[in-house]
Amino acid sequence: MTPNQTTGIKLYNTKTRKKEVFTPFKADDVRMYVCGPTVYDRAHIGNARPVIVFDTLYRLLRHVYGQEQVTYVRNFTDVDDKINAKAAETGRTIGEITEETIAWYLEDMAAVGALEPDHMPRATGYIGEMIAMIETLIEKGHAYAAEGHALFRVRSYEAYGALSGRDVDDMIAGARVEVAPYKEDPMDFVLWKPSSADQPGWDSPWGRGRPGWHIECSAMAKALLGETFDIHGGGLDLQFPHHEDEIAQSCCANGTSEMARFWMHNEMLQVEGKKMSKSLGNFFTVRDLLAQGVPGEVIRFVFLSTHYRKPMDWTEKKREEAEKTLRKWTLALTSDGLINKRLGDGAADQGVIDAISDDLNTPLAIARLHELFKSAETDSDLANFKASLVLLGLGERVNLGASKTFSDIVVKAQFPELQTLSDNLAVARDEAMKTKDFSEVDRLKAAYIEAGLEVRMSKAGVDVLRGESFDAAKLEGLL
Ligand code: AMP
Ligand code: ZN
């Protein structure tokens, strides 16, 4: 199959510190691995950055090489001491916590327009593969067992430090490396560690224990993508030591000279110029934003307005501007039912494709979208504009049930009556809670539904939206 592209994709490769032309090992089998979350709590907005960045790349790769030709793997780390601590703190089981957190994560990432990867392996599903890989490392002299642990012998791998440009001796001189009695060398890192009776554990040649963090990605990437694949991604905080350790394990166990051809890292996210942290009180989750009524598409738009290799600042001002722009665009596309009816399938604009093909230059892609919007004159222009938005993961109605979508907010702006009707019903409901007489609530609800509206009532509040048979003329009779 001929890749669907006129210009090549160029990506900045952390490994070579250069922007390089991206050529996959096989054009009909493009493979990407991205390190996923440790699942013990809601994803904070920083966690959404790699998701949105690599989702944008995934969409581009699918566009260029074909949907079936790209395999994207993102793992869930479901064995970790932070999860154990959460279980001890809450009295809940580890399984309950990880299941709940994974469901939240998928819901929140869908809300920001992220497609689900083709595989989402959980570490606990690959313990056998991890043990096998550690055994191979020990056989080859790259690892050793000591006091219930298995450790990677860093000095046995000459290329250690190449990804992050560090020298092992400098690292020892400057770093706070843990000196444990069972380590031959302070730089050696844990592949396997013993578990006490109350910690999760699996039987292994080194006793009952659990894997270190790094080995899980090496084992899962190999199982699902093979010994060598095209792209490996994650946040910049993972470059060292996590990715350096993944490379050492995989290359030494598999006898290969590289694990992935391209290594990509997104810069970190800050809030109003400051590091996000619980103690500064500027820590918030994706769900917090969605619950405040910030549509997922607005969150995505704010992220895409900064290049992924630049530190990104989340500010209220950016959120407001993103909302204004998207409102303007969506209004034009929905004003007379255009988006679903008259607008056929457009073709994504080459300028937008070129911008994201140049190391994911999403700010340039957005600038191009502004130009396209300004110069659009016909339905066909608008259809192409819409297709370009969709390529960036915008302009689709995502996660309809779980949060207010952008379109719902736009409709509210177009028909302020809907807000008045919501408010009236909320007042009636508050009153009924006091008197226990719900007849007025039932009457209003029935009248709204009769008029083609959809009524959503939950603990969180009351919302009246346009239903399937919505007709603006019917609003008048209700006010
Ligand atoms: P964790 O669950 O902490 O392992 O993080 C999951 C993913 O989110 C990793 O790819 C991290 O690099 C990324 N990440 C964590 N915090 C931030 C942040 N503040 N900005 C951008 N990416 C982050
Ligand atoms: Zn990883």
Side-chain angles (χ1 to χ4, degrees), residues 271-311:
V271 175
E272 307 281 352
K274 295 200 184 83
K275 184 177 173 225
M276 187 172 54
S277 84
K278 282 199 170 132
S279 57
L280 288 175
N282 64 356
F283 178 97
F284 48 92
T285 64
V286 174
R287 177 54 43 182
D288 291 336
L289 286 178
L290 295 170
Q292 286 164 24
V294 180
E297 283 125 291
V298 169
I299 300 175
R300 186 179 182 100
F301 191 96
V302 172
F303 276 85
L304 295 181
S305 344
T306 300
H307 189 256
Y308 78 95
R309 283 196 289 117
K310 294 218 171 85

Side-chain angles (χ1 to χ4, degrees), residues 33-36 75 213-214 216-218 232-233 238 242-243 246:
Y33 186 96
V34 175
C35 295
N75 68 296
W213 170 35
H214 318 300
E216 70 173 72
C217 289
S218 284
H232 191 313
L238 301 186
H242 184 53
H243 289 166
E246 280 188 37

Side-chain angles (χ1 to χ4, degrees), residues 422 425-426 429 455-464:
S422 293
L425 186 55
R429 186 171 76 153
V455 178
R456 291 192 199 163
M457 295 177 82
S458 70
K459 261 197 216 141
V462 173
D463 213 2
V464 176

Side-chain angles (χ1 to χ4, degrees), residues 34-45:
V34 175
C35 295
T38 306
V39 283
Y40 63 100
D41 212 345
R42 283 270 182 199
H44 60 67
I45 59 162

Side-chain angles (χ1 to χ4, degrees), residues 349-396:
D349 169 69
Q350 192 59 45
V352 172
I353 298 170
D354 289 347
I356 44 177
S357 297
D358 183 11
D359 193 32
L360 302 183
N361 194 340
T362 50
L364 184 63
I366 289 175
R368 175 76 187 154
L369 284 171
H370 279 287
E371 276 172 30
L372 284 176
F373 184 74
K374 246 194 247 160
S375 61
E377 282 172 356
T378 63
D379 279 1
S380 137
D381 292 344
L382 272 181
N384 295 343
F385 173 73
K386 189 197 149 201
S388 311
L389 274 179
V390 170
L391 182 63
L392 288 170
L394 298 164
E396 286 171 322

Side-chain angles (χ1 to χ4, degrees), residues 34-40 44-51 54 77 82 105 213 233-239 243 265-270 275-276 303 312:
V34 175
C35 295
T38 306
V39 283
Y40 63 100
H44 60 67
I45 59 162
N47 295 135
R49 194 168 194 200
V51 174
F54 292 103
T77 299
K82 289 198 237 35
Y105 185 83
W213 170 35
L236 191 59
D237 56 328
L238 301 186
Q239 184 185 332
H243 289 166
H265 295 97
N266 62 273
E267 252 287 1
M268 306 304 275
L269 177 126
Q270 306 178 321
K275 184 177 173 225
M276 187 172 54
F303 276 85
M312 182 194 144

